[in-house]
Amino acid sequence: MPVKYIPYYPNTIEGQAILNNIIRKQRVLRYHENDKVYNRIKRGMPFYEVEPIETVGGPSDNLVIRGECISACAYLKEKGVKVDLVYIDPPFASGADYAKKIYLRRNPKLAEKIAAAKQEMEIEELKAFEEKMYGDIWRKEDYLNWMYENLMVIKSIMSEQGNIFVHLDASIGHYVKILMDEVFGEHNFINEIVWYYPDNFQGNVKGFAGNHDNIFWYCIDKDNYIANRVFIDLGKTVKRDKRVWSKEEQKLVAARDENGKIIYNDYSEKKADDVWSIGQSSVTKEKSKEFADYATQKPSELLRRIIEGGSNEFRDHEKTEKIIVADFFGGSGVTAKIANDLGRKFIHVDIGINSIQTVRDRLIQAKADFHILEIKDGVSLFRNPQQTMDKLAMLIPGLHRNISGISNFWFGAVTESKAGTVPVYVPNLLNTQEKVLDIPAVNTIINQELQNLEISVNKVIVYYTDIDDQKALEKFIKENNATEIEVELKDLKNLLHEIVIEDIVEFAVTKAGTVYVTEITKFLSDRLIQKIDEFNQKGNLQSLVKGKKFDPINISEEGLELIELISLDCENTEGPWHSSTEIKIDKLGYVINNGVRTKEFWDGKITSDKMPKRIKIRNISGDETIKNISEIL
Ligand SMILES: C[S@@+](CC[C@H](N)C(=O)[O-])C[C@H]1O[C@@H](n2cnc3c(N)ncnc32)[C@H](O)[C@@H]1O
């Protein structure tokens, strides 16, 4: 489908987005290639198809959106939604790849024995392997262009009294602050909050250990923004002089009694300043209540201060309209969860399936009402962009990486084809600027990259996830390609859709008295078996090289240890999912029944009051499989 573009601002002028608060002739922050982003801003934000996936609880405007920040904002803008408080904790360009440990659950057949012995297994004893969640490796210039575009798009949907908190660290924060001066206006800067985490111990550091992040608070209009006092618990009582406002001196002064003596009070809390000491252990330690097992998860207390400090519950004095709190890089969903606890509406956006599942389950436990939407922006084709990129290398038949004579611009080349060596271009899904194949991108390919090839080539393949106008591009190539090399355009989505095989689930539904019992008898997941095989091969190899003992992961015949969640929809056979009842199995094998934690082990069954119409199974890596029951029975 051709992409539709929505303007950021009504009258964007050449090379410069119109900002309603500062007028500048030039960018404040100048860096190599900082002009690259202008064409994209000028073109507008891409608007894609949106699919409703699930409705949880009663009617509400709360949204959990799977998609990219930019495309989610385009959707909200098109719908006329304005947000009042934005908190974002985007990738920091930290140079890290974030991974998640995937734990195998108990097989109910074997678990019976373990349960009988009432033995609780320690996390370290559980079988686990790792999966990539998202990559945070950027060239600084690309990162800043990307950030600039994200800030522009977010600003375009903020309300007049809006506040934005951008969470970064010392490696990139100072650059982004200058971008924020440009996008929001220097005079709309409110605070730089330093989040200090004293419980982080680092040993081998040359210099001081970096134990803080920076959060920049800007508003849309300094004459009309929300700022509330936030109080923090001192953990003890302290004596301090009582402060009162002196009209004569026009400042706060110590209060005195009738004898002129300073009045002292006991205080157990104080108004927060801009340095916040909040430990990380609540989000990193297995035993803590809020630990959601999400790399980079932030503590609830951090978000409590931001949301209480930067928003009210209602937009208006009449209390008719609730404030909307949005997080466009939502991760574990801490913003949505705390916004909901504090009576605000929320919007959670993230590109990773793991984030969407984590926040969904967290919000169900918090009894929130919300809708889950998926934006068909082609970024999260397979779990998350990072894993999609890894998978692509295996999916393109005959593809080899790092071929001499072709530059890094190319993903690789198909070497043994009839057409000889065929270089293959694949857009980097982690960099949104490469996502749309348009005339400038094709121009670079035919007028630069084809000419730079050091080997003789008859054909190249150019993959795309989004295309401006295929016919126009093909015409452009025909008219402007000065080489004899054929350029074939191919849709990346087809490649992935053909190859992703659904998990196989076998089950039986029986009626026992007034309830229906669905028993899962077998679960087979090719995708997980592949992953586990890779893990075992790597482990075996390392054990050979390093002589360390390696205990491989073996899957039972029933495969039930690969299941994380089972949900039954007793209402609909198609359309958005309605979870009539569901059980989630935690890492230790305990059941979370419709959001309520229990100390029971899963017995392989799930019961419902009504005859189920559909069953959804989520495996431990997050792939979901839906089966219509009526068709099967
Ligand atoms: C640092 S984490 C956020 C952690 C979150 N604040 C929390 O407390 O759990 C960054 C998140 O941004 C997501 N992400 C990365 N690029 C994105 C994009 N372009 N649009 C939306 N989400 C993105 C990643 O999947 C990841 O979950």
Side-chain angles (χ1 to χ4, degrees):
M1 186 183 84
V3 185
K4 171 179 162 186
Y5 292 99
I6 306 169
Y8 284 74
Y9 290 96
N11 301 310
T12 316
I13 51 163
E14 182 101 17
Q16 174 66 60
I18 296 177
L19 308 172
N20 48 17
N21 39 34
I22 51 167
I23 313 259
R24 284 190 195 275
K25 292 270 182 302
Q26 284 185 332
R27 293 283 304 271
V28 182
L29 180 62
R30 298 195 67 76
Y31 51 87
H32 181 58
E33 293 182 346
N34 73 347
D35 52 330
K36 262 193 172 176
V37 71
Y38 285 138
N39 286 337
R40 297 173 53 80
I41 299 280
K42 224 168 72 184
R43 185 170 58 188
M45 45 183 111
F47 176 78
Y48 299 94
E49 236 181 289
V50 174
E51 190 188 342
I53 299 290
E54 182 173 359
T55 296
V56 177
S60 83
D61 296 330
N62 295 326
L63 297 176
V64 168
I65 304 178
R66 182 168 182 212
E68 214 181 38
C69 168
I70 297 175
S71 32
C73 288
Y75 167 75
L76 296 171
K77 186 152 196 213
E78 182 80 345
K79 291 271 165 229
V81 176
K82 289 271 177 197
V83 299
D84 307 282
L85 183 139
V86 176
Y87 164 79
I88 54 166
D89 171 19
F92 287 3
S94 64
D97 265 338
Y98 290 99
K100 178 182 163 63
K101 263 202 166 162
I102 310 287
Y103 290 92
L104 268 74
R105 306 306 202 250
R106 286 172 194 245
N107 180 343
K109 310 286 171 201
L110 306 175
E112 278 167 26
K113 284 187 212 152
I114 306 168
K118 287 253 181 297
Q119 177 201 351
E120 182 168 320
M121 286 171 86
E122 283 300 319
I123 292 292
E124 294 73 39
E125 296 173 50
L126 301 177
K127 288 275 177 201
F129 60 97
E130 276 200 343
E131 263 204 343
K132 280 188 199 160
M133 295 237 287
Y134 75 94
D136 194 6
I137 302 167
W138 299 73
R139 219 165 52 106
K140 197 165 268 151
E141 288 82 0
D142 289 343
Y143 180 84
L144 293 173
N145 274 340
W146 173 82
M147 199 62 206
Y148 182 76
E149 198 178 354
N150 278 279
L151 291 173
M152 289 292 286
V153 80
I154 291 171
K155 186 186 174 200
S156 78
I157 58 157
M158 283 174 66
S159 70
E160 283 167 12
Q161 54 175 354
N163 279 316
I164 178 165
F165 293 77
V166 177
H167 187 143
L168 295 156
D169 74 357
S171 60
I172 198 83
H174 50 304
Y175 286 95
V176 178
K177 184 167 187 288
I178 299 175
L179 283 189
M180 293 188 75
D181 278 347
E182 185 177 334
V183 174
F184 295 97
E186 282 161 60
H187 51 284
N188 287 324
F189 168 70
I190 315 285
N191 276 129
E192 174 178 352
I193 298 157
V194 171
W195 169 35
Y196 167 53
Y197 25 89
D199 53 351
N200 206 18
F201 282 81
Q202 277 143 322
N204 198 14
V205 189
K206 200 169 177 186
F208 297 114
N211 271 359
H212 82 276
D213 289 358
N214 321 62
I215 303 168
F216 300 116
W217 176 4
Y218 281 74
C219 64
I220 292 290
D221 177 1
K222 196 95 177 250
D223 295 327
N224 177 30
Y225 73 105
I226 299 169
N228 298 316
R229 290 176 179 200
V230 169
F231 288 91
I232 53 171
D233 189 3
L234 293 172
K236 57 181 179 185
T237 9
V238 290
K239 256 198 190 341
R240 274 217 54 183
D241 50 338
K242 188 179 165 189
R243 313 289 290 172
V244 287
W245 182 251
S246 155
K247 263 192 189 162
E248 300 90 69
E249 294 179 53
Q250 283 293 298
K251 62 176 190 187
L252 283 172
V253 294
R256 290 173 188 274
D257 63 14
E258 59 272 20
N259 303 321
K261 281 202 162 156
I262 291 179
I263 305 172
Y264 288 95
N265 278 349
D266 282 339
Y267 294 92
S268 59
E269 54 177 23
K270 76 165 204 178
K271 211 179 125 188
D273 54 29
D274 59 1
V275 179
W276 298 354
S277 172
I278 303 171
Q280 275 187 331
S281 39
S282 59
V283 292
T284 52
K285 294 272 181 303
E286 304 272 352
K287 293 221 155 66
S288 110
K289 255 184 153 172
E290 59 176 291
F291 175 71
D293 201 5
Y294 198 93
T296 71
Q297 180 184 345
K298 301 298 177 296
S300 300
E301 176 60 12
L302 190 81
L303 270 296
R304 180 199 62 95
R305 294 186 192 183
I306 290 174
I307 296 171
E308 281 188 348
S311 73
N312 299 324
E313 208 178 323
F314 292 93
R315 275 188 178 152
D316 48 348
H317 291 302
E318 294 74 36
K319 300 193 171 175
T320 55
E321 245 190 293
K322 287 226 168 191
I323 284 267
I324 302 180
V325 173
D327 188 337
F328 298 102
F329 298 85
S332 69
V334 58
T335 312
K337 159 79 171 62
I338 302 302
N340 186 64
D341 289 353
L342 295 173
R344 274 68 160 171
K345 283 194 210 169
F346 61 81
I347 297 176
H348 168 105
V349 176
D350 201 286
I351 42 170
I353 185 71
N354 191 259
S355 155
I356 302 305
Q357 289 168 347
T358 307
V359 67
R360 173 199 179 272
D361 298 351
R362 225 175 156 182
L363 291 170
I364 285 182
Q365 284 195 35
K367 305 254 172 295
D369 303 317
F370 56 98
H371 302 278
I372 305 181
L373 308 176
E374 185 168 315
I375 302 201
K376 301 288 178 193
D377 57 12
V379 176
S380 309
L381 299 170
F382 181 73
R383 292 192 195 140
N384 55 46
Q386 181 74 42
Q387 286 204 40
T388 308
M389 289 306 290
D390 289 350
K391 198 154 185 80
L392 280 173
M394 294 188 279
L395 295 184
I396 300 172
L399 183 101
H400 294 276
R401 309 289 301 270
N402 307 320
I403 304 283
S404 69
I406 67 168
S407 71
N408 283 345
F409 172 83
W410 303 94
F411 190 59
V414 176
T415 44
E416 280 141 35
S417 81
K418 276 191 211 138
T421 298
V422 179
V424 175
Y425 168 79
V426 173
N428 178 3
L429 298 175
L430 301 161
N431 182 356
T432 47
Q433 281 152 42
E434 287 185 21
K435 236 179 63 189
V436 182
L437 189 70
D438 51 11
I439 299 255
V442 164
N443 192 32
T444 310
I445 293 173
I446 56 177
N447 285 324
Q448 201 172 304
E449 298 301 334
L450 291 190
Q451 330 263 349
N452 288 346
L453 286 168
E454 287 169 19
I455 51 172
S456 152
V457 158
N458 299 318
K459 178 179 169 177
V460 297
I461 297 176
V462 173
Y463 277 102
Y464 61 83
T465 50
D466 285 326
I467 193 155
D468 232 1
D469 180 341
Q470 183 147 358
K471 284 218 166 84
L473 284 186
E474 280 164 353
K475 189 165 170 261
F476 180 84
I477 294 171
K478 216 170 164 189
E479 287 167 4
N480 296 283
N481 185 2
T483 69
E484 296 283 296
I485 302 170
E486 181 197 343
V487 179
E488 187 183 350
L489 306 183
K490 277 191 167 182
D491 191 342
L492 203 54
K493 292 191 278 293
N494 295 339
L495 195 68
L496 279 157
H497 287 161
E498 277 165 22
I499 210 80
V500 174
I501 309 161
E502 280 218 319
D503 293 341
I504 296 168
V505 53
E506 288 177 14
F507 60 93
V509 186
T510 48
K511 195 159 185 215
T514 55
V515 294
Y516 292 84
V517 180
T518 305
E519 179 166 10
I520 318 292
T521 48
K522 199 166 182 158
F523 185 73
L524 239 169
S525 169
D526 257 6
R527 288 175 280 191
L528 280 176
I529 288 172
Q530 262 181 32
K531 275 263 155 207
I532 292 168
D533 280 351
E534 277 167 32
F535 172 83
N536 285 345
Q537 274 175 20
K538 228 174 163 178
N540 281 327
L541 196 75
Q542 275 182 356
S543 102
L544 272 178
V545 177
K546 295 186 182 158
K548 257 199 198 159
K549 190 175 170 287
F550 173 70
D551 196 8
I553 297 179
N554 294 310
I555 309 296
S556 74
E557 206 178 311
E558 302 86 20
L560 303 193
E561 61 273 42
L562 301 180
I563 297 177
E564 179 182 274
L565 181 134
I566 303 152
S567 170
L568 298 178
D569 184 344
C570 302
E571 305 300 327
N572 313 307
T573 51
E574 56 185 18
W577 187 261
H578 171 91
S579 174
S580 307
T581 180
E582 68 182 50
I583 57 169
K584 186 174 175 184
I585 304 127
D586 78 7
K587 283 188 292 215
L588 293 166
Y590 293 124
V591 165
I592 302 167
N593 204 337
N594 293 310
V596 181
R597 288 192 168 276
T598 73
K599 275 282 172 189
E600 324 233 297
F601 292 130
W602 184 44
D603 59 0
K605 297 174 188 154
I606 174 168
T607 53
S608 54
D609 294 337
K610 284 188 181 175
M611 172 69 191
K613 293 191 169 157
R614 292 190 283 181
I615 182 167
K616 180 175 355 188
I617 309 259
R618 185 199 296 165
N619 73 29
I620 51 175
S621 265
D623 308 313
E624 295 188 339
T625 303
I626 296 178
K627 288 275 168 253
N628 266 359
I629 293 183
S630 46
E631 278 171 24
I632 293 164
L633 293 177

